Amino acid sequence: MRAFVLVVACADAFSYTHHFEALPAPRGEPTTDERCMTVCYTDDARRVNRWLRDNAAGAAALGFDTETACAFPGRKPPAPGPHVLQLAAGDACLVAHLISGDVCASGALADVLSDPSVVKVGVGLDDDAVELYNIDSRMKLSGRLDIGGPRKGRRIALREVAYRAIGGPIAPKAKKIACSNWAMRRLQTTQLAYAARDAWLGAAVYGALAADPSFVDAAAAQIHGEMNIAELSAVAADRRVIKRKLKALDEDAEDYDARAREIRRELKKFPRPDPRLELDLA
């Protein structure tokens, strides 16, 4: 992993620039893709504005992802996430730290996120969108293109989608990094590479498929029918309440099965609204 760091300090705000391999090969296999990500890591709204001006202006699509610190038993729970927001335009990536600084004060970021004409590409975007909106109502993610497969089927991992769309081999995700502390004051370089790569993969998948008219039409149809973020957040809140009822049931009670069926019927009244795009990839 190669990295050089440019540090820009303003009061307590920070901004770093790193370079990482975009597609590292699995351990023991030769690297077949030499592309490199340029990653801006910051908690400064002004640096976010500059990155968006330099990289996202006129972009048809941006890779999108967020990271949230896990809550572990016996440990102090972190503040509500997401704690990190990632965008990618081509090989340029933004990793914005939300646990410190003033990133959510960026008007340019709010404008880009809420613009449905700028496609946001990733997996699990509804959940990311709701969490982001819940910590700051200015962050309204629109133009959501979830490429994780059909809603009723198993969600397809982003790396699996990327392998089908842009080739491989692609190194598997490191669970240790995925479950690491994303709420720490400064992320480690392994976390930065991990976070940036997921956004980069979303942008790369879109770039690989954008010349296919059927993909473009399917993407446009999904985005046209998406639920606005306030309604999506309300549905998610209703689902959480019902799921808590189900979790609170005593499994040893005689009427457990009947009550569980009743609660599941109630849950079906609040279906997860936005579909995931099922890509026809060999």
Side-chain angles (χ1 to χ4, degrees):
M1 182 183 297
R2 308 188 312 273
F4 75 81
V5 181
L6 171 67
V7 183
V8 179
C10 178
D12 291 329
F14 65 83
S15 181
Y16 302 80
T17 299
H18 297 259
H19 291 268
F20 300 109
E21 284 181 285
L23 287 173
R27 183 174 297 179
E29 297 188 28
T31 298
T32 59
D33 194 303
E34 298 296 331
R35 280 178 286 184
C36 182
M37 304 180 296
T38 300
V39 180
C40 171
Y41 171 46
T42 188
D43 68 349
D44 187 349
R46 289 176 296 180
R47 186 66 184 91
V48 170
N49 292 343
R50 189 157 66 250
W51 187 92
L52 291 169
R53 181 196 66 205
D54 294 343
N55 298 286
L62 297 172
F64 179 91
D65 195 23
T66 65
E67 305 295 342
T68 300
C70 298
F72 293 101
R75 297 185 188 178
K76 181 180 177 182
H83 303 113
V84 182
L85 180 151
Q86 305 99 268
L87 293 173
D91 292 332
C93 301
L94 172 70
V95 177
H97 209 57
L98 306 182
I99 201 72
S100 62
D102 60 351
V103 168
C104 289
S106 167
L109 178 61
D111 289 345
V112 167
L113 293 182
S114 64
D115 186 351
S117 70
V118 181
V119 180
K120 320 313 184 297
V121 189
V123 170
L125 296 189
D126 285 0
D127 295 335
D128 291 346
V130 169
E131 289 183 355
L132 187 60
Y133 177 74
N134 285 345
I135 65 167
D136 195 306
S137 60
R138 294 171 293 185
M139 302 291 107
K140 301 175 181 179
L141 186 65
S142 298
R144 302 183 296 274
L145 180 61
D146 194 317
I147 55 176
R151 175 65 71 194
K152 292 184 179 180
R154 177 183 65 87
R155 176 179 287 171
I156 302 173
L158 179 57
R159 275 164 169 71
E160 183 177 342
V161 177
Y163 176 79
R164 298 180 188 181
I166 63 179
I170 301 173
K173 278 192 170 185
K175 187 175 181 180
K176 182 177 179 180
I177 301 176
C179 297
S180 61
N181 184 8
W182 296 100
M184 61 174 32
R185 182 66 177 86
R186 294 286 193 278
L187 298 180
Q188 300 172 352
T189 54
T190 52
Q191 291 176 297
L192 291 177
Y194 176 103
R197 193 165 290 121
D198 275 353
W200 184 93
L201 287 171
V205 168
Y206 188 92
L209 300 176
D212 181 351
S214 63
F215 167 76
V216 174
D217 291 344
Q222 182 184 124
I223 292 169
H224 178 73
E226 75 180 5
M227 181 177 283
N228 75 58
I229 190 62
E231 293 174 330
L232 186 65
S233 179
V235 168
D238 289 332
R239 288 178 61 86
R240 283 195 299 271
V241 170
I242 297 170
K243 285 182 176 181
R244 281 197 289 268
K245 290 182 184 178
L246 186 61
K247 189 174 182 180
L249 289 181
D250 181 359
E251 295 185 9
D252 295 326
E254 292 184 2
D255 61 347
Y256 172 80
D257 290 339
R259 294 188 63 190
R261 284 195 298 270
E262 181 182 349
I263 292 173
R264 291 190 179 102
R265 283 196 296 269
E266 185 180 0
L267 188 62
K268 288 181 179 180
K269 297 177 183 178
F270 300 93
R272 301 185 66 156
D274 290 346
R276 299 196 298 254
L277 190 65
E278 184 173 8
L279 301 178
D280 184 16
L281 300 172

